[in-house]
């Protein structure tokens, strides 16, 4: 790392100032992804004014020194041309960078990550050994978690799913290099898997409905408690008002009877005629009583008179 930094500092001092700095980056760029794009972005931003050339090895060289690619060389070239950081694409790039190649394309610096790449051609231990020694190497950082090998590994890991995916899209088993028995087995397994997924989804829906019902039940219980409490409060308040009204009405009637008057429903006072009539009856009974006493006195006088007449009669008979 320190060597790379020292090379970077030396290369910065020798960078031309009267023209764009020509920086070269190379690779296979199979299944072009954002990790490739980020490395090219770093190369493009190595200097304030950079002209980025990107070399891409052809299929023959790549298959010889690295292995089979998913994309053809023309597809890989075209992918690079559509990257916004790339100014020029150099097809059929050499596996090892030489001074002759640098002079031909007027390359000032070579940009790549600092990991050593074994030179399968036998020219050296690192394909960038010559550039690093010349002080024309610019280090870029790799993007963790993404690479062409990682993408291929994902496909291989889920190979059966991708085969079924393409079969469902209209590809034949011959196009995919799959035998008749394997195709039938894959289709049966995929149907079973879809059935399992449907059962799982149905279970999740039932669980969600149960949770919804339970949640609504709690809301119903809370609302019922609140409604009952509100009804009892209103009933108690109504009973209190009714009791107060009845008590006030009774008191008003009692006050009205005590004064000989009572309040009519319209709020007016009415005199009590029964009380006056009651006094008339007393007067009537007083007259009868007086008349009764008069009759008693007349009866006594009659008795006295009869006795006196009897006595006079007896006196005359004796004589």
């Amino acid at each position: 790392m320190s060597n790379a930094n020292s090379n970077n500092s030396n290369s910065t001092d020798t960078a031309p100032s009267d023209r764009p700095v020509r920086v070269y980056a190379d690779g296979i760029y199979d299944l072009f992804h954002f990790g490739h794009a980020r490395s090219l972005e770093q190369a493009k931003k190595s200097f304030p004014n950079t002209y980025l050339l990107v070399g891409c090895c052809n299929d023959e060289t790549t298959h010889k020194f690295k292995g089979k690619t998913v994309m053809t060389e023309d597809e890989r070239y075209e992918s690079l041309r559509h990257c916004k950081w790339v100014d020029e694409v150099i097809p059929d790039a050499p596996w090892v960078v030489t001074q002759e190649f640098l002079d031909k394309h007027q390359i000032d610096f070579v940009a790549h990550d600092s990991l050593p790449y074994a030179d399968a051609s036998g020219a050296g231990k690192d394909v960038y050994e010559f550039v690093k020694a010349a002080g024309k190497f610019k280090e870029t950082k790799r993007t963790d978690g993404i690479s062409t090998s990682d993408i291929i590994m994902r496909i291989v890991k889920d190979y059966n799913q991708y085969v079924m995916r393409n079969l469902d899209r209209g590809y034949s088993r011959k196009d995919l290099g799959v035998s008749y028995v394997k195709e039938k087995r894959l289709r049966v397994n995929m149907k079973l898997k879809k059935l399992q997924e449907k059962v799982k989804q149905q279970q999740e829906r039932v669980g969600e409905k149960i949770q919804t019902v339970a949640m609504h039940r709690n809301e119903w219980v809370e609302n019922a408690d609140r409604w009952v409490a509100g009804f009892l409060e209103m009933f108690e308040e109504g009973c209190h008002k009714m009791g107060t009204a009845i008590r006030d009405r009774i008191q008003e009637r009692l006050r009205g009877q005590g004064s000989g008057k009572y309040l009519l429903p319209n709020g007016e006072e009415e005199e009590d005629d029964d009380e006056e009539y009651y006094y008339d009856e007393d007067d009537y009974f007083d007259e009868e009583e007086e008349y009764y006493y008069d009759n008693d006195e007349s009866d006594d006088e009659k008795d006295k008179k009869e006795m006196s007449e009897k006595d006079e009669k007896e006196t005359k008979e004796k004589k």
Side-chain angles (χ1 to χ4, degrees):
M1 189 70 180
S2 60
N3 292 334
N5 291 335
S6 62
N7 290 338
N8 290 342
S9 61
N10 294 333
S11 61
T12 304
D13 294 337
T14 58
S17 59
D18 57 342
R19 60 174 175 82
V21 180
R22 295 173 66 87
V23 177
Y24 173 77
D26 63 352
I28 308 303
Y29 302 107
D30 191 20
L31 299 177
F32 190 84
H33 50 75
F34 69 89
H36 293 142
R38 285 184 177 179
S39 65
L40 296 177
E41 178 185 5
Q42 296 176 54
K44 177 68 173 179
K45 295 180 178 179
S46 298
F47 300 95
N49 187 10
T50 301
Y51 184 85
L52 181 61
L53 301 93
V54 179
C56 185
C57 301
N58 57 29
D59 289 343
E60 181 181 359
T61 302
T62 304
H63 296 166
K64 180 179 179 181
F65 296 116
K66 189 168 185 179
K68 183 175 178 57
T69 59
V70 177
M71 301 172 66
T72 64
E73 58 186 35
D74 292 332
E75 292 170 341
R76 292 185 283 117
Y77 299 157
E78 193 64 22
S79 297
L80 287 169
R81 292 189 181 100
H82 286 80
C83 179
K84 70 175 184 178
W85 309 112
V86 178
D87 296 308
E88 181 182 343
V89 175
I90 301 177
D92 302 323
W95 188 256
V96 179
V97 177
T98 63
Q99 184 64 48
E100 181 182 0
F101 180 81
L102 296 179
D103 295 338
K104 178 181 178 180
H105 296 281
Q106 299 179 354
I107 297 171
D108 297 312
F109 298 96
V110 176
H112 205 278
D113 60 81
S114 60
L115 294 177
Y117 282 77
D119 183 5
S121 65
K125 296 181 179 180
D126 186 0
V127 294
Y128 300 104
E129 183 178 2
F130 162 73
V131 179
K132 292 178 180 178
K136 294 185 177 183
F137 184 80
K138 295 292 293 184
E139 179 185 351
T140 59
K141 301 294 184 181
R142 295 176 63 90
T143 302
D144 295 333
I146 184 67
S147 68
T148 302
S149 299
D150 291 337
I151 295 174
I152 295 175
M153 182 185 65
R154 297 175 195 176
I155 297 173
V156 172
K157 181 179 178 181
D158 298 324
Y159 167 76
N160 291 338
Q161 294 184 23
Y162 288 112
V163 170
M164 282 305 306
R165 172 179 178 269
N166 284 356
L167 287 174
D168 292 339
R169 293 193 174 190
Y171 289 89
S172 66
R173 63 179 182 85
K174 292 182 179 180
D175 295 334
L176 300 173
V178 178
S179 66
Y180 175 82
V181 176
K182 185 174 181 64
E183 177 192 2
K184 297 302 179 183
R185 185 170 66 249
L186 288 174
R187 290 189 182 278
V188 171
N189 291 337
M190 291 304 295
K191 288 182 179 178
L192 290 175
K193 186 172 182 180
K194 289 180 179 179
L195 179 60
Q196 292 176 353
E197 291 177 354
K198 289 182 179 180
V199 172
K200 184 178 180 180
Q201 291 176 359
Q202 190 66 22
Q203 290 176 346
E204 291 177 352
R205 291 175 183 174
V206 172
E208 291 176 357
K209 289 182 178 180
I210 292 174
Q211 292 179 356
T212 303
V213 171
M215 181 179 64
H216 288 324
R217 178 183 176 277
N218 295 333
E219 292 179 357
W220 295 336
V221 171
E222 293 177 358
N223 292 335
D225 293 341
R226 185 164 57 251
W227 293 337
V228 170
F231 172 77
L232 293 177
E233 184 178 355
M234 293 176 63
F235 181 77
E236 183 180 359
E237 184 179 356
C239 291
H240 178 71
K241 291 181 179 179
M242 185 182 296
T244 302
I246 293 173
R247 183 187 62 193
D248 294 342
R249 188 64 180 273
I250 293 173
Q251 290 178 354
E252 290 176 0
R253 293 299 297 271
L254 291 175
R255 286 196 298 270
Q257 289 182 1
S259 62
K261 300 178 180 180
Y262 64 91
L263 295 175
L264 295 174
N266 58 6
E268 297 180 355
E269 294 183 356
E270 182 180 358
E271 295 183 356
D272 193 352
D273 294 338
D274 293 340
E275 186 175 359
E276 183 177 355
Y277 178 76
Y278 172 77
Y279 291 126
D280 293 341
E281 288 180 353
D282 290 343
D283 294 340
Y284 175 76
F285 286 125
D286 289 343
E287 291 177 357
E288 287 185 348
E289 185 176 0
E290 184 178 356
Y291 176 76
Y292 173 78
Y293 290 143
D294 292 342
N295 290 338
D296 291 342
E297 289 179 359
S298 61
D299 290 339
D300 291 340
E301 288 178 357
K302 283 183 179 181
D303 291 338
K304 289 179 182 180
K305 188 175 181 180
E306 289 178 354
M307 289 181 64
S308 62
E309 289 180 354
K310 186 176 181 181
D311 291 338
E312 286 181 1
K313 186 176 181 181
E314 290 177 354
T315 303
K316 286 182 181 180
E317 287 178 356
K318 289 180 180 181
K319 288 180 177 183

